[in-house]
Amino acid sequence: MPRLYNFSAGPSILPVPVLEQARDELMDYKGSGMSVMEMSHRSKVYDEIIVHTEEMFHKVMNIPDDYKVLFLQGGATMQFAMVPMNLLAGNGIADYTLTGTFSTNAYKEAQKFEGKTINVAGSTKDVNFVRIPQQNDLTLDAKADYFHMCQNNTIVGSRWNYLPDTGSVPIVSDMSSCILSEPVDVSKYGLIYAGAQKNIAPAGLTVVIIKKDLLHDPLPGTPTMLNYKTMAEKDSMYNTPPTYSIYMAMLVLEWIEKTGGLEQRKKFNQEKAGILYDYLDSSSFYSTAVEKDYRSMMNVTFKTPNEDLDAKFVKESAQNNMSNLKGHRSVGGLRASIYNAMPKEGVQHLVDFMEKFAKENG
Ligand SMILES: *Cc1c(COP(=O)(O)O)cnc(C)c1O
């Protein structure tokens, strides 16, 4: 059985060299006599792994020293609650932008906190999220504790093509589906969070990068596990962290570094997305809804002329060494997630198949 070109939105494809290294180290990690899965998180050998993983995040993403990297659980979805629990302890005001399903869910979660003011600072719901609000469209509250955005909208396939100017209000960004895909200026953010299962590691790990001056006391009643300050003080070891996923994140970061870092990733990713979008633009058979300026480099959404053909496309692509090209159940259509680990050949293989399918069914 050959490896498939896996276009899943998450959990998703991992780099082959990383999987190979994990396999080689599976039974005996560096002479420890056990797998990383079996180790005490308090052991010296594991401590080296978690410390090095944090260092590698700083190195690869060029994260300034006044930021802390946290290794948490609960997915990006847990962050929808953890962000307001911790950050609304200031003025009790937050600005949210609605650019798709996940950012809307984050907004709804923040609304659950009684007596707080949760503003919609911008939304493109009226156009089905095919674009991103522009700076002029935003209504910003200068007293907000934070401004929330979802950098890359995994389901609709769009992304912010600029970083808004929020004055002194810290930006909180959900980067679940675009982290590590290109360089970002971390110093422009107050907090970045990402579920690992798209571009970092297997599921089970959630990475939070938080500016240290935001590590203040949370809202009263916040559970210990959901308190950033506690997790930061304990170096993500208040309780058992997701040890194996953290190890896998370390291998992925080392692979990124060895292959040229985030500048090189951006080049590869632009090239891959370019191949797919160029073909979509040249085709009268397929269509893509997202406006050109806001197209995601990671999640490319498109449709054939009708739903029956979409279903046929999914079925036949599966017979041609590809998987998970079905669009999200909430929007239908087709979606190719082309994260870091998807090779260019995978994208070319998809485009060749798309051409053939259009000829046969057009
Ligand atoms: C996948 C995803 C989520 C949800 O992540 P979980 O880790 O499953 O909670 C949230 N936001 C974005 C942008 C995503 O892509």
Side-chain angles (χ1 to χ4, degrees), residues 74-77 80 102 150 152 154 174 176-177 195 197-198:
T77 307
F80 298 169
F102 290 118
C150 178
N152 182 78
T154 322
D174 178 355
S176 293
S177 49
Q197 69 275 17
K198 280 137 194 182

Side-chain angles (χ1 to χ4, degrees), residues 201-218:
L205 167 67
T206 309
V207 175
V208 169
I209 303 164
I210 184 170
K211 195 165 186 197
K212 286 178 182 166
D213 64 10
L214 292 177
L215 292 168
H216 48 63
D217 285 334

Side-chain angles (χ1 to χ4, degrees), residues 9-11 73-80 101-103 105-106 148-155 174-178 193-198 203-206 299 335 339:
Q73 302 189 52
T77 307
M78 180 74 94
Q79 293 309 306
F80 298 169
T101 308
F102 290 118
S103 53
N105 288 350
H148 185 276
M149 63 189 282
C150 178
Q151 197 104 1
N152 182 78
N153 301 285
T154 322
I155 294 175
D174 178 355
M175 289 198 194
S176 293
S177 49
C178 60
Y193 65 89
Q197 69 275 17
K198 280 137 194 182
L205 167 67
T206 309
N299 311 98
R335 171 176 58 178
Y339 298 119

Side-chain angles (χ1 to χ4, degrees), residues 180-247:
L180 302 179
S181 64
E182 62 181 339
V184 289
D185 184 352
V186 175
S187 73
K188 296 238 159 50
Y189 296 83
L191 190 153
I192 292 167
Y193 65 89
Q197 69 275 17
K198 280 137 194 182
N199 224 0
I200 307 177
L205 167 67
T206 309
V207 175
V208 169
I209 303 164
I210 184 170
K211 195 165 186 197
K212 286 178 182 166
D213 64 10
L214 292 177
L215 292 168
H216 48 63
D217 285 334
L219 292 178
T222 295
T224 312
M225 273 300 287
L226 302 184
N227 183 338
Y228 289 132
K229 200 166 158 232
T230 306
M231 292 317 240
E233 281 164 6
K234 301 286 182 189
D235 289 316
S236 307
M237 291 267 226
Y238 173 76
N239 72 331
T240 317
T243 51
Y244 198 76
S245 289
I246 292 169
Y247 157 75

